[in-house]
Amino acid sequence: MIHAPTIVWFRDDFRLADNPALLEAEKLHKPILCVVILDEAHLPGAAARWWLDRAIRSLDGDLRRMGGSLHVFRGPAGQVLTEIVSHTGADTVVWNRRYDLKGRETDTAIKAGLRAEGIAVHSFPGGLLHEPWRIRTRAGGQYKIFTAFWRGMRETHPTPFPPAPAPEKLAFAPLASPPAGLLPQQGDYGLLPTRPDWTGGLQEMWTPGEGEAHDRFAHFMRDGLDTYATARDFPAENASSRLSPFLRFGHVTAAQIWHGATEKGFPERFLMELAWRDFAWSLLFSAPDMATRNLRPEFDAMPWRDDPAGLARWQQGQTGYPLVDAGMRELWHTGWMHNRVRMVVASFLVKHLLIDWRQGEQWFADTLVDHDPASNPMNWQWNAGTGVDAAPYFRIMNPVLQSRKFDPHGAYIRRWVPELACLSDKAIHTPWETEIPRGYPAPIVDHRLARERALHAWKTMGSGAGQE
Ligand SMILES: Cc1cc2nc3c(=O)[nH]c(=O)nc-3n(C[C@H](O)[C@H](O)[C@H](O)COP(=O)(O)OP(=O)(O)OC[C@H]3O[C@@H](n4cnc5c(N)ncnc54)[C@H](O)[C@@H]3O)c2cc1C
């Protein structure tokens, strides 16, 4: 007897292991059809699109080794799924959840539409430690402060569910001809830049995929144990896991990392970082417009500057502040930036240049391979002082002191700003105090004046002048 196939719709979960939707499909004992739908309304920024292209190819390779493949389509997801269902006679569709508002709305509508046609639809937890509505205050509300969220999580949900293994065997449904009107995307998924192709640095740095995610994690478990807690803030040290884009695309789940790290006795500090990611998603769940709205409404009156030239110099790593420029160039080249430096560059844009944090958020959304719609705005709002659990606006990071403290020998700066490589360990943080090497700009703003301007703006906004 020929069974109606089950469609497994992959979105942010390019993996075989710890994949509840795939496991459900396996349990149904019917042939499965694995699909990806490139829906313009849900595609990520440019750097993450490069990753998505590679993620698709990697999962396709893994499925081919099991005798199947990944079918890639382009178009509005609801329409595409409906056509695939009617073309194949599938009676079940499964997926792992996504939690941004647009994704949720699309998925709810698709679920209702398919069910109305008599198709079974099942959705499962995505790759967070806990569902974003799970960790709640005693009164049932959203935690506003991370430390309280962390405490609440440890008390009520001390460990995420143990991760499930990959299915050993899968039976795949054939798709001999594509559904009428639906062209399967083969070879070129239309996700990569062409003129010019700026992805060389990304290709040098990353190998997207589930296998690489686990290799990287194993390597980090072996070498990172002794250094993570002490060296993670030093960008030249390579002491953090660099798993963020692998988590973003679901090559590995937070639960897999949590359990692996706990078994190895990894410091709690690392588990807390994973919990920051969950905190971001829980915030986004209750404030879906977090990328566009100040969570502290008093900042709606902030007199941000309109400064396209300043924004462009920040984006290009040409501010004249070495640590800021190193970070922005690392981002442009690799699609990633060290966390400490992300904080420094964000603070610099918002406070030294007095540019609205949303412009920085958008630049990161387009250039980060790990960009996600929860972590990025939450961290921007944290650094801008506009968020719920945020560094107070009047605490203005000094980019020179940060540079001396976290890159004391200038190794990170030398790597990304080669014009400054000839300077001494002391002079490299403040090239303008000696002689600025050719090709490197003078500082775009004077730190002291910029600080005064930022504080003045904040005071005129009327948020408790003179509190410092
Ligand atoms: C302005 C700004 C924007 C950011 N935008 C993003 C983003 O779009 N996507 C993103 O994944 N991270 C973002 N971060 C958080 C953080 O910088 C990265 O998660 C981290 O640098 C990833 O490196 P890692 O994997 O080596 O981290 P590790 O230190 O090894 O931490 C392990 C994991 O914990 C999670 N994590 C760690 N710190 C944070 C944090 N502050 N917030 C949320 N999750 C965290 C990440 O998934 C990370 O992979 C942003 C930070 C700032 C200051």
Side-chain angles (χ1 to χ4, degrees):
M1 181 180 137
I2 298 175
H3 288 293
T6 299
I7 293 175
V8 185
W9 179 19
F10 286 88
R11 296 100 65 83
D12 296 326
D13 47 0
F14 291 89
R15 64 176 180 278
L16 300 176
D18 201 23
N19 186 330
L22 190 62
L23 278 182
E24 174 68 12
E26 184 198 23
K27 273 193 226 139
L28 294 174
H29 297 298
K30 291 189 286 187
I32 68 166
L33 193 74
C34 297
V35 306
V36 164
I37 302 170
L38 302 175
D39 180 341
E40 205 55 50
H42 295 273
L43 287 180
R49 279 184 201 209
W50 171 83
W51 193 289
L52 177 60
D53 177 276
R54 295 297 194 272
I56 291 170
R57 291 171 201 281
S58 167
L59 181 61
D60 182 49
D62 293 342
L63 289 169
R64 280 179 194 275
R65 277 186 281 282
M66 298 181 83
S69 66
L70 189 57
H71 302 277
V72 183
F73 299 94
R74 183 175 276 277
Q79 207 178 309
V80 172
L81 264 184
T82 310
E83 288 195 40
I84 303 173
V85 164
S86 71
H87 181 77
T88 58
D91 63 0
T92 310
V93 180
V94 294
W95 65 66
N96 297 315
R97 288 180 201 118
R98 48 187 172 184
Y99 304 108
D100 62 298
L101 183 63
K102 212 193 300 169
R104 275 155 52 200
E105 285 177 349
T106 299
D107 293 353
T108 306
I110 291 177
K111 199 180 254 186
L114 289 173
R115 282 185 178 160
E117 299 296 316
I119 309 298
V121 183
H122 305 296
S123 60
F124 299 88
L128 298 176
L129 296 170
H130 304 285
E131 293 293 69
W133 54 84
R134 188 75 69 217
I135 311 297
R136 283 287 177 266
T137 63
R138 288 215 169 89
Q142 166 67 42
Y143 279 108
K144 301 262 166 54
I145 305 291
F146 172 73
T147 43
F149 175 86
W150 170 251
R151 232 179 293 121
M153 185 176 124
R154 295 301 264 164
E155 275 167 27
T156 58
H157 296 77
T159 43
F161 284 117
E168 276 176 19
K169 242 174 72 186
L170 289 169
F172 294 94
L175 187 67
S177 62
L182 271 192
L183 265 190
Q185 303 279 304
Q186 277 162 351
D188 178 6
Y189 303 130
L191 296 169
L192 303 177
T194 46
R195 274 177 268 155
D197 177 2
W198 43 260
T199 61
L202 275 57
Q203 294 176 40
E204 266 166 42
M205 168 97 176
W206 305 104
T207 308
E210 186 173 5
E212 170 71 10
H214 288 280
D215 287 353
R216 193 172 275 257
F217 182 46
H219 184 269
F220 175 64
M221 287 291 98
R222 216 175 34 240
D223 298 347
L225 183 59
D226 297 333
T227 50
Y228 184 77
T230 50
R232 58 183 283 276
D233 263 329
F234 293 80
E237 297 286 334
N238 202 1
S240 70
S241 70
R242 300 193 181 213
L243 282 166
S244 50
F246 296 90
L247 278 158
R248 156 67 183 84
F249 284 91
H251 299 308
V252 61
T253 63
Q256 287 175 317
I257 294 181
W258 178 286
H259 285 279
T262 312
E263 273 164 31
K264 291 273 178 204
F266 235 70
E268 189 166 86
R269 179 75 246 178
F270 180 66
L271 302 180
M272 278 174 96
E273 297 307 327
L274 286 176
W276 266 106
R277 179 168 172 269
D278 264 46
F279 181 53
W281 282 102
S282 77
L283 279 178
L284 186 76
F285 197 77
S286 35
D289 54 353
M290 188 164 70
T292 51
R293 177 172 63 87
N294 292 310
L295 294 182
R296 286 177 188 267
E298 64 269 26
F299 276 87
D300 292 350
M302 185 72 172
W304 301 116
R305 290 172 59 247
D306 180 28
D307 179 8
L311 178 66
R313 281 183 63 176
W314 175 82
Q315 290 170 336
Q316 291 158 6
Q318 296 286 347
T319 66
Y321 281 88
L323 186 62
V324 173
D325 294 342
M328 297 309 293
R329 295 185 196 187
E330 179 184 31
L331 172 62
W332 182 250
H333 192 76
T334 67
W336 188 88
M337 194 196 302
H338 186 277
N339 181 57
R340 166 62 46 181
V341 192
R342 290 188 204 202
M343 290 161 69
V344 173
V345 304
S347 169
F348 189 86
L349 182 80
V350 172
K351 298 179 185 175
H352 286 72
L353 298 184
L354 205 57
I355 291 177
D356 192 328
W357 61 269
R358 283 164 280 221
Q359 297 193 32
E361 198 276 342
Q362 280 172 21
W363 180 251
F364 270 32
D366 209 32
T367 52
L368 276 174
V369 286
D370 66 19
H371 167 257
D372 77 52
S375 304
N376 199 41
M378 179 197 70
N379 279 288
W380 271 97
Q381 295 227 38
W382 192 92
N383 281 279
T386 61
V388 282
D389 175 9
Y393 181 85
F394 58 78
R395 268 205 208 121
I396 294 179
M397 268 188 181
N398 180 330
V400 174
L401 294 185
Q402 291 286 314
S403 186
R404 288 194 185 123
K405 184 167 178 193
F406 295 109
D407 192 25
H409 305 294
Y412 177 74
I413 294 173
R414 273 180 242 283
R415 169 146 194 231
W416 294 110
V417 191
E419 306 95 288
L420 301 180
C422 56
L423 296 184
S424 69
D425 289 8
K426 183 162 179 278
I428 199 162
H429 308 288
T430 50
W432 58 89
E433 283 179 355
T434 47
E435 196 181 338
I436 301 179
R438 260 169 88 92
Y440 191 68
I444 186 171
V445 281
D446 172 80
H447 168 66
R448 198 176 49 82
L449 296 180
R451 186 173 183 282
E452 279 167 16
R453 180 174 66 180
L455 288 174
H456 179 71
W458 175 70
K459 283 174 188 163
T460 60
M461 181 187 97
S463 66
Q467 268 183 34
E468 192 179 13

